[in-house]
Amino acid sequence: MQVKKILFTGILCACSMLVHAQRAVIFGTVRSSEGETLPGATISVRETSAGAFSDQNGKFRIEKLPAGNVSITVTFMGYQPETRTVKLGENHEQRVDFKLSAAAMDLQEASVIGLSETREAAKLAFNITAIDAKQLHNTTLDLSNVLDRVSGVRVRETGGVGSNFNFSLNGFTGRQVKFFIDGIPMDNFGSSFQLNNIPVNLADRVEIYKGVVPIALGSDALGGAVNIITNPNRRNYLDVSYSYGSFNTHRSAVNTGVTTQNGFTFQLNAFQNYSDNNYWVDVDVVPDLNTGLSVPMRVRRFHDKYRNETVIAQVGVVNKAFADRLLLGITLGQNAADIQTGNRMYEVYGQRRRKGNIVMPSLKYAKKDLLVKGLNLALNANFNLGQEQSIDTAFRQYNWLGEFIYKESNPNTPGGEVSRMFYKFRNNNGLVNATLSYQLGQKHALTLNNTFNTFNRKGEDVLDPENLDNKQPKRTSKNVIGLAYRYDVSSKWNTTFFVKEYIQKSVSHNILNNEYYVQENTFSKQGYGLATTYFLLPQLQLKGSYEKSYRLPENEELFGDVVNLASNYNLRPESSHNFNLGVNYTTTISKIHNFYVDANLIYRSASDFIRPSLYSSFGRAIQQMVNLRDVTNSGVDGEIRYSFRRLFSAGVNVTYQNIRNNTKFEGQSTTVSPVYRDRIPNMPYLFGNANASVFFKNVGGEGNTLTIGYNLLYVHEFYLRWPSQGAAGSKLTVPEQVAHDASVVYSLAGGKYNIAVECRNIADATLYDNFSLQKPSRSFNVKLRYFLVK
C-alpha cells in the first residue's frame, strides 16, 4: 500500500504542474507516401532542443517554440528523412503535415517473416516485438503460425487446421497471455474466432508485449499480451486471396474498405478455412478391438475435418467534430470440428464433434481533444450471442483404422465415445473497455482504463434435459481498473508508473451429500509496476520493467470447455513478480549491410501458478487446470538479423526458460515435496527459429519480385511428466523436433498480383506438441492474391 501511496502522490503532483505560456506551436501528422500514419516518428527542431514523437495516430505537437524561421526534421526507420522550414509568429499555432517516402534499403522490409521493431515500440518503455503482417499477406500462414516464429514465443497446437492451441510467451502459457484485436480483449469471442483460424491477411501488424502490458489494453495478463492491429489507414482498398493445400485444405479471405470525402466509412473482413486434416500419424493401433493388443503403425487421421466462416462488417464515420471514429459493427461466424483424439493419442474417436457460432454486435468510439485539448477517449463494447455445442452420441469404440465395435457389450463403459451428450450452451459474454488519457504539457501524461467482462453460461443436454448439473449457475464478472503516469524525462529517457485493481466474482456450485449448493468466490487484488527506457546512443536502447501482476481464472478454466478440459471451480488467482531487462542495437555499415540485435533477460516469481494437469478417469486422460503454489522462471531470449540491400535477409532467434516448481511443502505436510525444484513438465524450455530469404527484382518485368524463403524450427526434448519421478529408462518425453519450411513468392505489378508456393515440414518429420499430440506431416500449399489500394 505504501508503494501505491507514493505513486498516487507523484501523479497528483504532476497534475498540479502549471503549463507555462506558449510562444509558438507546431502540430501535424506524419504519414507514408501511401497515406498510412507512422506512429513513433521523430520530429526535431534544429534551432532548439525541442522535439516529439508522433503518437499511435501519427500526430505530433511541439510547444514553446521561438517566433521566426525554424527547420523541422522528421525521421522514421525505413523512410527518407524530410526537413521543412516554417515561419512562426508570436503565440501562433502552425500545422505542418509530412509524407515520407520509403528508403532504398529497409531492414524490416527485408525480413522474410516481416519482423520489425517499429518506431512506436522502440520509443516506449514496454518490451515490444512488432510484426509487420503486410509482408506476410502472400503466405498461407495463420496468425498462430506467424507468432510461432518470434523469439520467446511457442505456439503448441493439438493438430492441424482449426485445432486447439496453447500459446507460451517467456514461460507463461495459456490464458496467462492475453489476446486483443485493435486493443479489444478477445476473451469472449468463442471458438469461431480464434488465433489459429484468423488468416494473416486480416492483420496490418501484430504487437507482442513481453512482460508489462500497457494500461490502455485493460488486461489482467500475467506474462504479456498480443495485440492484432487490423485497420490500416488506407482510404480505399481491396485484398482478395485463395489458397489450396495438402489434406484438402482451402483458405480464402476478402478484406476491403471504403472511406468517402465526407467521412463515411465501411469496412469488411471475411475469411473461411476448411481442411480434412487427414495427415499421417505414427500411433499404436489396436487391429482387434476385442483383444486390445496394439501394433505400432503409420496411418491417416480419418475423423478430423474442420471448417469455419467469419464475416466482420463495420460502418460509421471518421474525422467528425463529435468523433474521430464512430463505428457500429457485427461479427458473424460459425465453425464445425471433428474430434479425432483426446489429450493423448491412445484415445481415438470416430464421431465426436463440436460446433460453434459467433453473433457479436460491437461499438467503437474514439475522440481526441475531448472537451479540452489533450484529453482523449476510446470506448469499445461488444456482446457475444453465439452458441457452442458438444456432441457425443455414438455408443462406439474406434481404432486408428476407422473400425469400431458397439460399446453396449461393456456395461462399465459410459455412454457415447466418452460421455454421452448433445450439449448446447451460450456463454453470454459481454465486454466494455474505456480508456481516458490526458497529456499534461510535453513531458507528462495520464491514462485511466476500465475493462469490464461478464460471463453467464446457460445450456442443456438434449439427451438429458433434466440433468441437474447443467442447471447449476456458471457466472463470472471481472473488472480491471488501471491508472498510469508517463514522464518523458528527455528525448532519450521516458518512464511509466502504473497501478491496477483486479476484481472478480464467480458463481458456481458444489456437491455435498449428493445435494447441490451454490458456491460463490470473490477476489480483489492490487498490482503495480513501472517501465523505463533509455537510449545510450541513437541506435542503442536499454529497457527495464517490473510488475506485481495478477491473473484472474478464466471462464473455461473454471467451468471447462465441454470437450477435453474439465472444470475446477476452486481455482485461485495467480500472481507474479515480473522483472524484465532488454537491450537492442541497430546499425548500418556502408549503407548496404543492416544489422539488428535484440536480447532480453526475464525473471518471474509466481504464486498459485495455474497449469494443466492430467488425471485418469474411465481409462481416459482428463485435463484440468490446477494451482501450483509457487513457480520461478529465469530465462533469456535473443535475436540477430542481417540484411544486404533488398537482396538478402537472414536471422536467428533462441529462447531458454528455466521454469521450476518452487513449492517446498505440499498442503500441511512438513516433508519436502519430491518434485520441489523440478522443471515444470510438458513445457518446452529450449527452442528457436532460423530463417533466410533471397529477393530477385524485376524478374519477368519491371516491378516484379521473386522471393525464395526458408524457415527452421527447433525444439529441444522435454519431459512429459515430472523429471524426478519414475525410472530413467521408462520416462515419457516429447522428443527433439526439427522442422523445415520453404516458400517461393512471385509478385507482379508492384504487388498487385501475387502467387505463392509453400512446403511445410519438408523432411516429413514426426512433430509433437501438447501431451505428445502429433502435428501435420509434410504439406504443400499454393496461394493466389490480388491487392489494390488507392
Side-chain angles (χ1 to χ4, degrees), residues 231-437:
N231 295 321
N233 294 300
R234 308 181 185 100
R235 295 183 64 88
N236 302 288
Y237 65 97
L238 176 64
D239 187 350
V240 181
S241 63
Y242 168 76
S243 68
Y244 174 76
S246 300
F247 321 126
N248 195 27
T249 300
H250 304 260
R251 300 175 185 261
S252 59
V254 177
N255 302 292
T256 186
V258 176
T259 302
T260 65
Q261 293 294 330
N262 61 7
F264 172 81
T265 186
F266 172 75
Q267 298 174 5
L268 176 69
N269 306 103
F271 59 88
Q272 67 82 216
N273 300 281
Y274 174 87
S275 181
D276 288 338
N277 283 323
N278 58 341
Y279 56 88
W280 294 94
V281 291
D282 297 294
V283 292
D284 290 334
V285 178
V286 181
D288 188 343
L289 288 163
N290 293 301
T291 65
L293 298 177
S294 62
V295 179
M297 295 179 63
R298 182 172 174 83
V299 298
R300 280 189 179 273
R301 295 169 75 103
F302 64 90
H303 177 66
D304 203 22
K305 292 184 176 65
Y306 175 83
R307 55 175 281 267
N308 86 293
E309 300 86 28
T310 302
V311 175
I312 308 167
Q314 298 181 101
V315 62
V317 294
V318 296
N319 301 325
K320 294 294 186 179
F322 58 89
D324 295 329
R325 175 175 295 177
L326 175 59
L327 297 175
L328 297 176
I330 186 73
T331 300
L332 303 172
Q334 61 181 358
N335 78 92
D338 296 338
I339 302 174
Q340 175 73 91
T341 185
N343 292 305
R344 297 294 305 278
M345 291 193 70
Y346 58 72
E347 301 167 11
V348 54
Y349 308 126
Q351 291 198 27
R352 285 189 75 198
R353 61 193 187 278
R354 60 178 172 83
K355 295 182 178 180
N357 60 56
I358 178 173
V359 180
M360 188 173 70
S362 63
L363 167 70
K364 296 180 180 179
Y365 175 80
K367 181 69 176 76
K368 287 188 173 293
D369 299 328
L370 178 70
L371 302 178
V372 296
K373 186 171 294 185
L375 182 64
N376 306 323
L377 172 66
L379 175 67
N380 300 290
N382 59 56
F383 193 91
N384 187 2
L385 302 167
Q387 185 182 73
E388 305 288 336
Q389 296 182 42
S390 184
I391 304 169
D392 184 2
T393 58
F395 283 64
R396 297 179 177 183
Q397 180 180 346
Y398 281 84
N399 64 15
W400 277 104
L401 301 176
E403 301 167 342
F404 69 90
I405 59 174
Y406 289 100
K407 295 172 66 174
E408 286 89 342
S409 59
N410 185 354
N412 296 318
T413 304
E417 294 186 74
V418 175
S419 178
R420 181 172 168 81
M421 70 165 59
F422 195 149
Y423 186 50
K424 299 181 179 181
F425 63 96
R426 298 182 189 272
N427 286 327
N428 297 304
N429 298 101
L431 176 141
V432 178
N433 174 279
T435 303
L436 194 66
S437 61

Side-chain angles (χ1 to χ4, degrees), residues 701-715:
E702 187 71 23
N704 299 344
T705 302
L706 179 67
T707 304
I708 301 176
Y710 165 79
N711 187 80
L712 166 72
L713 167 69
Y714 171 80
V715 181

Side-chain angles (χ1 to χ4, degrees), residues 50-93:
F53 303 125
S54 58
D55 64 16
Q56 61 183 3
N57 296 307
K59 296 182 179 181
F60 69 91
R61 183 181 180 87
I62 304 177
E63 302 175 348
K64 302 181 183 179
L65 294 175
N69 292 329
V70 295
S71 296
I72 307 166
T73 300
V74 177
T75 59
F76 188 79
M77 181 180 289
Y79 290 83
Q80 296 285 358
E82 183 177 338
T83 300
R84 196 97 52 86
T85 300
V86 179
K87 186 175 182 179
L88 299 177
E90 189 72 30
N91 296 322
H92 178 66
E93 292 194 8

Side-chain angles (χ1 to χ4, degrees), residues 5 107 189 204 226 238 271 282 358 372 511 586 610 662 694 702 717 723 742 744 768 776 785-786:
K5 290 180 180 178
L107 178 62
F189 282 20
D204 191 54
V226 176
L238 176 64
F271 59 88
D282 297 294
I358 178 173
V372 296
I511 302 176
T586 304
I610 298 175
N662 208 37
V694 181
E702 187 71 23
E717 177 186 74
V744 177
Y768 296 88
R785 175 173 173 250
Y786 173 79

Side-chain angles (χ1 to χ4, degrees), residues 43 134 154 268 307 309 364 462 588 591 626 688 707:
I43 301 96
K134 296 189 296 294
R154 187 77 186 97
L268 176 69
R307 55 175 281 267
E309 300 86 28
K364 296 180 180 179
V462 176
T588 300
K591 297 184 178 181
V626 298
T707 304

